[in-house]
Amino acid sequence: ASSTNSKNMNITAGGSYDLSGEYGSVTINTNKEVTLNLNGVEITNSNGPAINIEEAKTVTIVLSGTNKITSTTTEDLDGAIYSKADLVISGTGSLEVKSNYDGIVSKDTLVIKSGTYNITSSDDGIRGKDSVEILDGTFTINAGGDGIKASNDEDLELGYVNIKGGTYNITAKSDGIQGITKVTISGGTINITSAEGIE
């Protein structure tokens, strides 16, 4: 682990990467599958996403221990964790996300299997373009926009949120959970304080 935040990691090959300690940013650009094992990581970026997935087949983030992801800018920022590829997050650890824009964003599908999440964002907390699917986990979301959102309005098969389990405490200025096409909830405990609730 380095004692400075200036350490930037660029991943250009597929495979599994173990990260702990402090980083300024992590960028992924490959056409292969990448697994990021986060174990006691602090990634703080003042110029864009803390984790920026420009290209990959699929990225899996596995959480161990306590992890903190912070983006303190609004410049070039779609999300503190921003993925142009399918993103899967799992593990037994925790993830604290602070963002001046959106928290966790995938331009494709976003699947969360497990973990503990504490997300504070100026706009949306968790956003998947094509879909957001959550199997389990504990979520505390404080969002200036929507709490959890799927935003694809161009394809009727996509733009959905599917929650199968988990515990959610969502405070949102706009919608708590929003699926452009549909929201399916088959399990879990959900507490929402917001303007719209579930839309």
Side-chain angles (χ1 to χ4, degrees):
S2 149
S3 60
T4 163
N5 262 344
S6 62
K7 194 165 63 168
N8 297 314
M9 185 174 203
N10 288 308
I11 294 173
T12 55
S16 185
Y17 297 84
D18 297 323
L19 280 71
S20 60
E22 296 188 358
Y23 291 85
S25 67
V26 176
T27 304
I28 297 175
N29 202 328
T30 175
N31 56 7
K32 302 280 195 289
E33 291 187 13
V34 172
T35 299
L36 288 183
N37 297 305
L38 303 187
N39 189 349
V41 171
E42 280 195 44
I43 308 171
T44 306
N45 192 355
S46 55
N47 326 305
I51 297 178
N52 189 6
I53 302 160
E54 291 173 353
E55 187 192 358
K57 198 168 184 179
T58 304
V59 173
T60 302
I61 295 176
V62 181
L63 303 174
S64 304
T66 303
N67 303 282
K68 295 184 177 181
I69 306 287
T70 307
S71 285
T72 57
T73 178
T74 51
E75 196 115 338
D76 296 328
L77 182 66
D78 256 337
I81 297 177
Y82 176 67
S83 178
K84 290 185 178 171
D86 290 340
L87 179 60
V88 179
I89 309 178
S90 65
T92 55
S94 68
L95 185 65
E96 178 186 295
V97 178
K98 290 183 178 171
S99 173
N100 279 343
Y101 196 61
D102 293 346
I104 302 174
V105 177
S106 171
K107 285 292 189 188
D108 279 334
T109 62
L110 175 58
V111 177
I112 298 178
K113 294 183 174 177
S114 56
T116 300
Y117 301 84
N118 194 327
I119 300 172
T120 305
S121 62
S122 298
D123 198 10
D124 302 333
I126 296 174
R127 182 161 61 87
K129 182 165 187 200
D130 291 347
S131 64
V132 175
E133 191 157 331
I134 304 179
L135 307 181
D136 203 357
T138 302
F139 299 83
T140 303
I141 300 174
N142 198 320
D146 298 326
I148 299 173
K149 176 185 198 173
S151 58
N152 189 335
D153 55 4
E154 292 143 34
D155 185 332
L156 291 177
E157 297 295 304
L158 301 172
Y160 64 87
V161 176
N162 188 352
I163 292 176
K164 295 183 173 170
T167 302
Y168 304 82
N169 287 297
I170 300 173
T171 304
K173 290 269 180 354
S174 189
D175 301 338
I177 299 173
Q178 184 191 41
I180 295 284
T181 54
K182 66 179 179 186
V183 175
T184 307
I185 298 172
S186 53
T189 305
I190 302 175
N191 299 304
I192 295 176
T193 307
S194 74
E196 303 268 350
I198 297 171
E199 188 178 29

